[in-house]
Amino acid sequence: MLDYAESQAVTSLRATLRQAVKDHFPASFLGAFTDDPADLELTEAFCRKLGEQRLLALAWPKEFGGGGASSWEQTALREEMWAAHEPRGAQYMGLNWVGPVIMRHGTDEQRRRHLPDISQGNVLWCQGFSEPEAGSDLPAIRTRATRDAGGWRINGQKIWTSYAMMAERCFLLARTGSADDRQNAVTVFLMEMDQPGVQVRPIDSLVGPHHLNEVFLDDAFVPDADVLGEVGGGWSVVRDVLEHERIGIARYARCERLLAEAPSVLGSAWRELPESLRQRWATAHVHVRQVKMLAYRVVEAQDLEGVAQSDAAAYRIAVTLLDQEVAEVLADILEGWSIGSEDRSHLFARAVEDHLRYAQAATVASGTLEMQRRALWKGLDQNS
Amino acid sequence: MKTTISTEASQLGRHVGSAITQLGGIDFLRRAVASPASRSATVESALQPLGVFDLRPLADQVELEAAAEVCRAAGWHGLPYPLAERYAHPDDDGAFMLVGPGRAVGLHGDVPLAWAGLDLRGRTFEIARTGAAVGTPLAPFVTEVDARATSDQDPHAAALIVTLQMWWLLGLLERVNHMTYAYMGDRVQFGHPIREYQGLQFMFGDAAVAVRTFKEIAKYTLWSQFQRRRENDWLVDAVSLRVAGLESSHTVLRIAHQLHGAIGFCDEHDLSWLSRLSHGIRRLPMGQSQTEAALLALVTEHGFTTVVARSGQ
């Protein structure tokens, strides 16, 4: 029987998290990655605080430093954090997919070594997948790992690597087999970033600092103990990563919050907006609900029968397009204020401007819209 | 939290689907268009033994879910019978039709039931007379009506009929996508089944997403209709669902026709019949833009429930 009522545990968790955010951050906070380094420092301290309370890796097993909470509590955590401009900063990657994938594919020693640090907010990860010649076509990667005493030497270049400047570890994909083998020739390495063979160059961008970087690998070293899964078995790991990435971010939550705030922020000016624009706003609320309910279906499937590839891809398509639709509606509502303000007291205008910039990348980041459409079709084929 | 319909409700939906298949499925729709007067007795005698007309959707959530699955199964086959309209009415021989501000017409007014009217704000109407069928290709079961406003309100009944009509539409759109996917495997052009062309795969993907997101909000809205403490949400949620359903219809049917090409318009093909039948619910009591305007009016009055706040009041 259908039941969309929140449990008391979820409602309490939301209250706890909202209070924690309110206590820790100024109202003007717009995420970790701004021009003000204080924002990043605040998020790092916040993560450690959540980690101490076992709220960071909420749904992880307790043995790995998690809270052992339900998937619905984990979903509420994702929603509350994204709606509050992701005050966990780059930690969400470690929590959403690096940790879970190490849990599944890692050795006992790797789990013991990496998972507690992630769950405590003590380590930042970046993802070394894309390369200049291998974006959507990930099997075309050229970065090569070759055998060396006790481990592997890595040479090549990664690009678009978010948070690489600050990350301590990189979840790196490199070629360990022949150049023309697209199936069994790549391996995942859990590479330390702080070593002479790793150079990071930031790329200034529309989406803000720290989101895009180049990583140059010149004889970087990874010990055997940091190979994740089988040598040559990287694709089965990557498939898991992509599945977690598709459903990991509750983008709809920030959309919902900003839409809900718009009428009260505008006050009497709200009624003076063209009715057609207010209709778009109301319809956007409907779209948020549609996407949120699809997310809930996926969360439940994850717990029960497993997520169908087509459902995960459908959600990703819907949520990224929603992000962009809501950005446009809010920008139209705010008109000239949507392009932002240096005045930190203009909280809503600055939040909409941030959303507008960030949403433009939604259909590119973590797998383009077109790759999601390919995955959707493949999933439909598998189900038919 | 549970996002799955009860097993009993799903089972009833399957039984109803089998019964409609026995009637001829979409061929029954073809026959009903040729001879509308005979359809109600045939449908009633086929569905009565399954207990379809004994369901009390507002008495029990499982019965509400069962009513939704009945409507969905009927939509899958394009069954031209006022199920949602009957479920929304408390009397065994009664039915509500949705009444709009424009042309005085309603769906299935020719079926001999004790008709009353409702609009999307929950205002009730007396149906003084139901007249002749409009009889156009897009309106085989639409009749002229004489509707007179009363001073009564029944927003929950209005919400229920809108919700269950959308479950009927959901079934129809699922069938349309099913047909389109199969056709993409059958139709060969340039030496290949058209399913092999990525441009067409992506088009169909949009239709698949449209139905998936419609289905999930349909389930949420159904649940919402049974939450006694959410009285102010009933109609807002139902009209929200209608907005979602009309958008989804536009996407799914546009893509289905485009991918089927000319054959999709031919009466020998089932798509032509489901497509034309969909217009009754999609255009009455009002189409996309006016439904969105109605939603805005409702949200302005009652707000829209979100996780973070009650938005819009």
Side-chain angles (χ1 to χ4, degrees), chain A residues 79 249-253 255 284-298 311 314-323 325-326, chain B residues 209 212-214 216-217:
Chain A
E79 290 177 347
I249 300 179
R251 287 177 179 271
Y252 57 83
C255 295
H285 264 313
V286 176
H287 296 161
V288 169
R289 182 174 284 173
Q290 288 182 266
V291 172
K292 181 162 66 172
M293 294 308 145
L294 183 56
Y296 289 177
R297 171 83 276 273
V298 169
D311 279 341
Y315 166 66
R316 178 82 191 166
I317 291 166
V319 79
T320 52
L321 292 175
L322 173 77
D323 226 26
E325 176 200 344
V326 170
Chain B
V209 172
R212 272 172 165 73
T213 51
F214 177 32
E216 297 312 316
I217 195 176

Side-chain angles (χ1 to χ4, degrees), chain B residues 118-125 152-156 158-159 235 298:
Chain B
L118 284 165
D119 71 8
L120 289 189
R121 300 300 299 272
R123 292 177 289 231
T124 62
F125 292 77
D152 293 336
Q153 299 266 331
D154 195 345
H156 205 185
L235 202 48
L298 286 164

Side-chain angles (χ1 to χ4, degrees), chain B residues 12 30 70 103-104 306 310:
Chain B
L12 180 62
R30 288 183 169 90
V70 168
R103 187 178 180 184
T306 72
R310 208 164 171 80

Side-chain angles (χ1 to χ4, degrees), chain A residues 1-6 14 18 72 79-80 83 253 256-261 263 270-271 275 278-283 285-287 289-294 296-297 300-301 304 308 310-311 313-315 317-318 321 369-371 373-374 376-377 380-384, chain B residues 1-7 61-62 65 167 181 184 195-196 198 200-202 204-206 208-210 212-214 216-223 227 230 236-237 240-241 243-244 247 288-290 292-293 295-296 299-300 304-313:
Chain A
M1 196 161 73
L2 298 169
D3 183 7
Y4 292 91
E6 277 191 355
R14 287 191 193 280
R18 284 177 198 182
W72 297 113
E79 290 177 347
E80 293 299 325
E256 186 171 69
R257 174 178 164 176
L258 293 174
L259 286 170
E261 285 178 359
W270 176 253
R271 298 293 174 107
E275 182 161 315
R278 288 188 294 129
Q279 276 180 219
R280 282 174 62 201
W281 166 86
T283 302
H285 264 313
V286 176
H287 296 161
R289 182 174 284 173
Q290 288 182 266
V291 172
K292 181 162 66 172
M293 294 308 145
L294 183 56
Y296 289 177
R297 171 83 276 273
E300 191 178 47
L304 300 176
S310 56
D311 279 341
Y315 166 66
I317 291 166
L321 292 175
L369 181 64
E370 288 67 31
M371 292 305 285
R373 286 179 164 146
R374 268 171 53 116
L376 172 61
W377 178 262
L380 293 170
D381 256 4
Q382 283 164 7
N383 294 344
S384 66
Chain B
M1 199 169 294
K2 290 190 174 60
T3 70
T4 41
I5 292 268
S6 67
T7 309
Q61 189 183 325
V62 174
E65 292 181 10
W167 274 81
Y181 184 79
M184 290 174 75
R195 58 174 291 132
E196 293 182 13
Q198 192 178 64
L200 307 190
Q201 292 171 1
F202 284 11
F204 183 76
D206 288 345
V209 172
R212 272 172 165 73
T213 51
F214 177 32
E216 297 312 316
I217 195 176
K219 289 191 290 188
Y220 170 85
T221 309
L222 194 63
W223 168 83
Q227 306 310 303
R230 296 168 57 104
V236 178
D237 289 353
S240 297
L241 175 62
V243 166
E247 282 185 340
Q288 181 79 41
S289 296
Q290 293 197 66
E292 286 172 4
L295 174 63
L296 177 60
V299 171
T300 302
F304 188 95
T305 295
T306 72
V307 167
V308 284
R310 208 164 171 80
S311 179
Q313 268 179 295

Side-chain angles (χ1 to χ4, degrees), chain B residues 91-149:
Chain B
D91 299 338
D92 284 347
D93 62 345
F96 281 120
M97 69 171 61
L98 288 175
V99 174
R103 187 178 180 184
V105 291
L107 263 178
H108 299 302
D110 59 323
V111 173
L113 293 163
W115 287 99
L118 284 165
D119 71 8
L120 289 189
R121 300 300 299 272
R123 292 177 289 231
T124 62
F125 292 77
E126 182 188 323
I127 303 297
R129 183 180 64 83
T130 58
V134 172
T136 63
L138 298 184
F141 306 106
V142 173
T143 56
E144 291 173 349
V145 297
D146 181 1
R148 296 168 191 174

Side-chain angles (χ1 to χ4, degrees), chain A residues 132-348:
Chain A
E133 304 301 327
S136 292
D137 184 15
L138 204 50
I141 59 165
R142 294 177 180 177
T143 294
R144 175 159 286 283
T146 49
R147 273 279 179 203
D148 197 12
W152 299 79
R153 289 284 167 193
I154 316 282
N155 285 281
Q157 183 191 347
K158 296 291 174 181
I159 197 166
W160 319 134
T161 317
S162 300
Y163 325 123
M165 284 292 284
M166 61 185 83
E168 284 106 358
R169 288 264 169 186
C170 179
F171 195 97
L172 181 85
L173 193 61
R175 184 167 292 281
T176 44
S178 71
D180 52 358
D181 184 346
R182 291 171 63 90
Q183 293 297 323
N184 304 304
V186 298
T187 302
V188 172
F189 298 91
L190 308 176
M191 185 183 75
E192 257 193 80
M193 291 292 283
D194 185 16
Q195 57 171 305
V198 177
Q199 298 294 323
V200 180
R201 187 177 74 82
I203 302 172
D204 291 339
S205 77
L206 173 72
V207 286
H210 298 296
H211 286 292
L212 300 178
N213 299 280
E214 286 178 292
V215 179
F216 297 93
L217 302 159
D218 182 13
D219 266 351
F221 183 73
V222 181
D224 282 326
D226 280 331
V227 172
L228 184 67
E230 299 291 320
V231 172
W235 286 125
S236 66
V237 180
V238 170
R239 269 193 291 276
D240 261 13
V241 171
L242 297 178
E243 192 155 300
H244 280 91
E245 272 197 309
R246 278 188 197 121
I247 57 177
I249 300 179
R251 287 177 179 271
Y252 57 83
R254 180 152 84 156
C255 295
E256 186 171 69
R257 174 178 164 176
L258 293 174
L259 286 170
E261 285 178 359
S264 57
V265 169
L266 266 73
S268 58
W270 176 253
R271 298 293 174 107
E272 291 163 21
L273 293 175
E275 182 161 315
S276 61
L277 181 50
R278 288 188 294 129
Q279 276 180 219
R280 282 174 62 201
W281 166 86
T283 302
H285 264 313
V286 176
H287 296 161
V288 169
R289 182 174 284 173
Q290 288 182 266
V291 172
K292 181 162 66 172
M293 294 308 145
L294 183 56
Y296 289 177
R297 171 83 276 273
V298 169
V299 168
E300 191 178 47
Q302 212 169 17
D303 277 354
L304 300 176
E305 71 271 19
V307 183
Q309 184 181 1
S310 56
D311 279 341
Y315 166 66
R316 178 82 191 166
I317 291 166
V319 79
T320 52
L321 292 175
L322 173 77
D323 226 26
Q324 294 177 347
E325 176 200 344
V326 170
E328 290 298 329
V329 170
L330 291 167
D332 276 4
I333 287 171
L334 287 192
E335 291 185 304
W337 287 104
S338 67
I339 53 178
S341 166
E342 288 300 307
D343 183 345
R344 281 200 165 215
S345 69
H346 290 145
L347 302 178
F348 191 67

